């Protein structure tokens, strides 16, 4: 028997959805499109294609409208037996069908599958409901249908093989809704089209034989569908039980826990009892499982009390299904296969069994498995060996539950999978070579035409696609080129491609791309491939791979298109609230943070931030960080938020700083009750995830917050408490120890420079020399080691980040090429940092420059300290080279500073260096101002106004040079009583003395020279009257601006200092600090209400943040985790701004509609002077005023 060949088009139902429902609603649009598509292929021509179809279509419509049963209308849907028919009828049917196929091929104008398209066109025109069974392009399922029909006719005289093929078709179409009407429509359509071609040659026996075959197949499909549901249930349950038997009873215990909590509340004793009961049950289960696996002798030994031996045997026995499978395969002699291709089959089988309710997914996983197995030696891939090992492992794992029904169900599944796999196992390698050769032989010009034709054809098939392909032509060509490349890459590494396509599909979920566009796009690609490539196997390979890609892509989009993603695409917080309201309370946070498709996932929250849907992102953060509670437990999404997105602070700081405050607000709980006569209230700050990362190390949250350079964020209560906690708990002592050496160094340096005796004394010189050696050693070595350690920490952290980016598989191993890439990237990073230090890229990217400037301002004082440290090291080294005692080391009375080598020029240079070093030592103590926020803020203000001083000094320097050089030309012989202006340097000094008020002369001394007097008065006017007053005004404005955020900048400076200090914090000290925080202990909300762990509880003034409404949303009713929260019926005063505006809009709209009822034309005076035109209905309308007023009050 020739095995049936499976196509990536799968069964009659495909993953690619072409919106058939909308086509049916548009009447004849689908018919016209299909006629156009049929004629455009150049296969049959319009004269043959349309006229040939019209007669069968009309006859089929007439027969179906009559509704009468014909002589062949008999179906057996009760059982699937061997096909039995008179050999004469079989022979006539096969002869007629062969003649029909020969005439279809013999005209030379088209493909054989066009006859299948004609059949489907007639069926869809007559019974539009049948079209819902086929959601792939016409050419795909028509070709597949005709292949299957040809194979069925060929096997008419082989009942056993025919039954096996029908069972396989039933397996592939298990979830297709197929009924008697559809069967009749198919049968009549096929017979009419065969008769239209053969005419008188289509005998009654042939018609009878084909009818019997079609009825047999249709009845078998319906019968298989009825029996498949029970088998699928049995398979999925047994597979789940085999893999999760160790977790048996967890769901039952959780349900019992919910019931007990509903009855007993949230007492700790009840929880402990439940926990101990759970542990006992689990232990009993494992004990029972282990004892069952032991031999009789081992049981007796265990009873005898040899517990250590029992434990050793338990650990050596297989406990999981995979281990059991490996052992059974090894026992049967398949150990080598079990470690190779059987592992791939086992992985694929897990996905297949999990998704047995979807034949599309089963076909997809089967095709991927075929591609994976094609890499092995096909002679060694014996699928029957896997079946033996599989059934043996299942029997061993489920000894009590295994039955004959299980044996039959698993055999049925595997036998059908074998037929699917064996029919295509040899194709992937042939396809790969054909498609690589075909695409590789095309020139760049031809490939460009290929890509252009794809979009031309696609826009013809689906004009609406132009609304979604809005990118530039170069981008479109890149997409088309990527599509062509992926068709070949799929054969090379199918698992990686499935993962990449799933990631691509999840991104398309965020883009909101309709899945019904993939179908015409695939059709366009396949048709253009047929135009540019003459190789039939290359065309088949291209179609095979591309349709499989579209399957994976479409499935990913469908699975990932949740209601939450729909709300994000609409950027509507109202839709988001409606979508998340249906989430089970135990999975509410997961709905907002995680969508898993295969091995890929996407975070709705992160997508909302990246796509700019800030309104929805804000609503999602508020929902996640809202504490909800029932009688059993509290629900708070902060832990899951930081677990799913450890870098949430960094992302918000870089991409959505406005949402950072929303997140920080959500980490605070304040009690609405006060204590001590209303003076204080209890506050919980949930800082655990802000301080600790997932591995218990110091989190980088504070680093990214300080890098924003925003003083308003740093003074937020959460950040302020975090900074204060770190400062008092761990950093202050460490900072004091490090700066204490600076104080000692300053004292020693002062003694070494100011303790020079008036007269030479050897003892004093020895003490002086000791001080200087200590100063040089302490200054150069300590500061040098400190700076080198900073460089080492920075280099280590950056190197680790690069390694993490390169090592995508996470196994910690890299090859030589990856190592060289790491080195090159690190080299580029070092050069970039060097350019930043040298400020060579000041005029670079404005966005990057702004970000770097903001980050620089956050650590301004820390960087100033580093610069001063480098300066001190440099000055001490220079002083060491000019040290008098070293220069006089050859003197007989050493140590001394008096020797011929110590010339006056050397002493002068040393004194200058000493002065500069003394200043630098004092400047190193400036960062001690961090102990006082007020002093630190004052220094930051001083540093901020230095920019204005720089501008003033620049302008003043220009004036001094201008007037100094000008006056010196005129006053070569001027008297010096009014000032020395004889040359340019003296003139500049005199003018600067006038500016700063140190001028000792009198203007009357220069009255005799009017030109000099005018020049001096002009200089005074510009420098003193203009520049000095302008400087005062600028300083006032700058101070007013800085003063608003003065404390924030001081807090920002302290936060940056803490970040630097934590980089060198010892692990022991950090662990001790974390232990003292006691984050694992639950803290009370109100008295007696034991709340959530992970917080720092403080008491603040009640007047600081007034609160009259409880921040926790409490609900009654059931406490089951699987039940959504009840509808939130809040008072209007509790609504946020957007909700209030929506409510106000509704009330105003309702009011305007009611007011329109009172708009009546002016009443005319009646005969008696009484106004006519009074509407009696107005009386009833007037009664609506009360309801209007009621709505307004509610608003």
């Amino acid at each position: 028997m020739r095995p049936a060949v499976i196509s990536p088009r799968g069964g009659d139902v495909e993953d690619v959805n072409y919106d058939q429902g909308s086509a049916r609603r548009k009447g004849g649009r689908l018919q016209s499109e299909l006629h156009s598509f049929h004629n455009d292929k150049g296969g049959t021509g319009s004269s043959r294609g349309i006229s040939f179809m019209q007669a069968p279509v009309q006859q089929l419509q007439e027969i179906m409208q009559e509704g009468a049963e014909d002589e062949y209308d008999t179906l057996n849907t009760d059982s699937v037996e061997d096909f039995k028919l008179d050999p004469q009828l079989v022979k006539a049917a096969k002869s007629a069908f062969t003649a029909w196929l020969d005439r279809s091929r013999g005209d030379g104008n088209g493909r054989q599958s066009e006859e299948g398209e004609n059949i489907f066109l007639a069926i869809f025109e007559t019974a539009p409901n049948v079209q819902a069974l086929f959601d792939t392009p016409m050419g795909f399922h028509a070709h597949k249908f005709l292949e299957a029909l040809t194979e069925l006719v060929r096997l008419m005289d082989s009942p056993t093989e025919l039954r096996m093929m029908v069972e396989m078709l039933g397996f592939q179409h298990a979830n297709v809704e197929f009924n008697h009407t559809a069967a009749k429509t198919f049968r009549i359509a096929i017979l009419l089209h065969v008769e239209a071609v053969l005419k008188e040659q289509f005998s009654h026996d042939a018609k009878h034989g084909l009818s019997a075959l079609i009825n047999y197949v249709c009845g078998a499909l319906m019968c298989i569908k009825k029996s498949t549901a029970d088998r699928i249930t049995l398979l999925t349950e047994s597979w789940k039980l085999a893999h999760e038997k160790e977790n048996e009873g967890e769901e039952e215990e959780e349900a019992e826990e919910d019931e007990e909590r509903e009855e007993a509340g949230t007492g700790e004793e009840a929880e402990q009892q439940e926990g101990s009961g759970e542990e006992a049950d689990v232990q009993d289960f494992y004990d029972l499982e282990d004892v069952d696996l032991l031999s009789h002798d081992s049981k007796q030994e265990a009873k005898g009390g040899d517990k250590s031996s029992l434990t050793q045997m338990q650990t050596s026995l297989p406990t999981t299904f995979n281990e059991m499978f490996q052992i059974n395969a090894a026992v049967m002699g398949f150990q080598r296969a079990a470690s190779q291709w059987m592992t791939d089959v086992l992985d694929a089988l897990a996905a297949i069994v999990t998704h047995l309710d979807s034949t599309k997914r089963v076909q997809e996983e089967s095709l991927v498995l075929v591609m994976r197995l094609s890499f092995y030696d096909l002679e060694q891939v014996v699928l029957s060996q896997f079946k033996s090992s599989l059934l043996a492992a299942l029997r061993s794992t489920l000894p009590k539950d295994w039955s004959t029904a299980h044996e039959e169900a698993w055999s049925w599944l595997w036998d059908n999978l074998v037929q699917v796999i064996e029919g295509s196992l040899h194709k992937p390698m042939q396809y790969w070579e054909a498609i690589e050769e075909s695409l590789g032989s095309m020139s760049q010009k031809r490939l460009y035409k290929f890509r252009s034709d794809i979009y031309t054809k696609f826009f013809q098939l689906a004009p609406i696609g132009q609304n979604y392909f809005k990118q530039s032509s170069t981008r479109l060509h890149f997409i088309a080129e990527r599509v062509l490349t992926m068709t070949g890459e799929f054969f090379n590494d199918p698992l990686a491609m499935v993962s990449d396509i799933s990631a691509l599909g999840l991104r398309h979920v965020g883009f909101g791309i309709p899945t019904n566009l993939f179908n015409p796009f695939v059709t366009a690609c396949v048709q253009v491939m047929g135009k540019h490539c003459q190789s039939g196997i290359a065309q088949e390979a291209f179609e095979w791979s591309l349709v499989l890609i579209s399957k994976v892509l479409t499935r990913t989009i469908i699975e990932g298109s949740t209601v939450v993603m729909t709300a994000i695409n609409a950027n509507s917080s109202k839709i988001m609230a409606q979508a998340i309201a249906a989430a089970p309370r135990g999975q509410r946070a997961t709905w907002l943070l995680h969508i898993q498709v295969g091995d890929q996932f996407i975070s709705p929250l992160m997508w909302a931030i990246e796509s700019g849907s800030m309104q929805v992102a804000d609503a999602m953060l508020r929902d996640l960080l809202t504490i909800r509670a029932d009688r059993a437990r509290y629900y708070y999404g902060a832990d899951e938020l930081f677990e799913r997105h450890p870098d949430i602070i960094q992302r918000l700081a870089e991409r959505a700083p406005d949402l950072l405050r929303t997140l920080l607000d959500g980490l605070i709980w304040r009690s609405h009750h006060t204590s001590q006569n209303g003076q204080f209230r209890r506050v919980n700050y949930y800082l655990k995830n802000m301080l600790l990362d997932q591995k218990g190390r110091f989190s980088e949250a504070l680093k990214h917050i300080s890098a924003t350079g925003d003083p308003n964020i740093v003074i937020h209560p959460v950040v302020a408490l975090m900074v204060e906690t770190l400062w008092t708990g761990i950093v202050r002592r460490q900072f004091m120890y490090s700066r204490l050496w600076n104080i000692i160094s300053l004292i020693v340096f002062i003694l070494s420079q100011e303790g020079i005796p008036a007269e030479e004394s050897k003892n004093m010189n020895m003490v002086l020399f000791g001080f200087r050696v200590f100063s040089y050693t302490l200054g150069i070595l300590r500061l040098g080691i400190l700076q080198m350690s900073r460089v080492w920490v920075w280099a280590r952290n950056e190197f680790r980040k690069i390694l993490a980016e390169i090592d995508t598989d996470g196994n910690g191993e890299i090859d030589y090429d990856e190592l060289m890439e790491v080195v090159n990237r690190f080299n580029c990073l070092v050069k970039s940092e060097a350019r930043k230090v040298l400020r060579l890229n000041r005029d670079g990217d404005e966005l990057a420059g702004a970000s770097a400037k903001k980050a620089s301002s956050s650590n301004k004082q820390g960087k100033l300290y580093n610069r001063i440290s480098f300066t001190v090291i440099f000055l001490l080294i220079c002083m060491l080279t000019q040290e008098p005692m070293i220069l006089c080391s050859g003197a007989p009375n050493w140590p001394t500073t008096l020797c011929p080598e110590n010339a006056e020029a050397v002493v002068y240079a040393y004194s200058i260096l000493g002065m500069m070093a003394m200043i630098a030592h004092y400047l190193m103590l400036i960062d001690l101002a961090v102990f006082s926020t007020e002093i630190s803020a004052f220094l930051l203000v001083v540093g901020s106004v230095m920019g204005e001083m720089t501008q003033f000094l620049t302008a003043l320097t220009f004036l001094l040079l201008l007037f100094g050089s000008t006056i010196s030309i005129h006053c070569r012989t001027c008297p010096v009583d009014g000032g020395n202006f004889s040359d340019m340097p003296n003139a500049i000094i005199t003018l600067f003395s006038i500016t700063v008020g140190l001028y000792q002369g009198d203007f009357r001394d220069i009255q005799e020279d009017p030109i000099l007097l005018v020049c001096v008065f002009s200089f005074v006017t510009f420098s003193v009257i203009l520049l000095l007053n302008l400087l005062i005004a600028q300083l006032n404005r700058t101070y007013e601006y800085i003063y608003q955020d003065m404390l924030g900048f001081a807090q920002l400076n302290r936060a940056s200092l803490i970040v630097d200090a934590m980089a060198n914090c010892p692990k022991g000290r950090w662990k001790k600090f974390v232990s003292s925080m006691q984050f694992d202990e639950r803290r009370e909300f109100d008295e007696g209400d034991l709340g959530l762990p992970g917080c720092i509880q403080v008491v603040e003034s009640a007047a600081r943040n007034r609160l009259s409404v409880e921040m926790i949303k409490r609900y009654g009713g059931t406490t089951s985790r699987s039940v959504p929260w009840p509808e939130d019926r809040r008072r209007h005063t509790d609504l946020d701004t957007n909700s209030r505006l929506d409510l106000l809009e509704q009330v105003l709209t309702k009011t305007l509609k009611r007011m329109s009822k009172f708009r009546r034309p002016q009443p005319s005076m009646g005969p008696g002077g009484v106004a006519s035109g009074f509407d009696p209905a107005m009386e009833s309308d007037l009664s609506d005023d009360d309801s209007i007023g009621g709505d307004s009050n509610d608003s």
Side-chain angles (χ1 to χ4, degrees), residues 760-817:
E760 280 289 322
S761 173
K762 187 172 183 179
N763 294 331
M764 287 298 299
N765 287 338
M766 289 292 296
V767 173
L768 183 63
F769 179 75
F771 282 151
R772 293 189 178 184
V773 170
F774 182 82
S775 180
Y776 292 140
T777 304
L778 182 65
I780 297 176
L781 293 183
R782 188 184 70 85
L783 293 179
I785 294 174
L786 178 62
Q787 297 300 329
M788 291 301 297
S789 65
R790 289 178 180 273
V791 174
W792 164 251
V793 171
W794 174 85
R796 181 189 61 188
N797 295 337
E798 295 299 329
F799 208 83
R800 286 177 176 176
K801 290 180 181 179
I802 298 174
L803 282 175
E805 295 176 0
I806 298 298
D807 186 20
T808 55
D809 54 3
N811 60 1
E813 298 179 358
I814 57 174
D815 54 21
Y816 178 77
D817 294 335

Side-chain angles (χ1 to χ4, degrees), residues 652-672:
L652 293 182
E654 294 176 353
R655 305 179 185 180
D658 294 338
L659 296 180
L660 193 56
R661 182 171 292 275
T662 301
L663 186 145
L664 296 176
D665 290 339
L667 299 178
I668 303 175
W669 171 85
R670 289 187 174 90
S671 175
H672 66 292

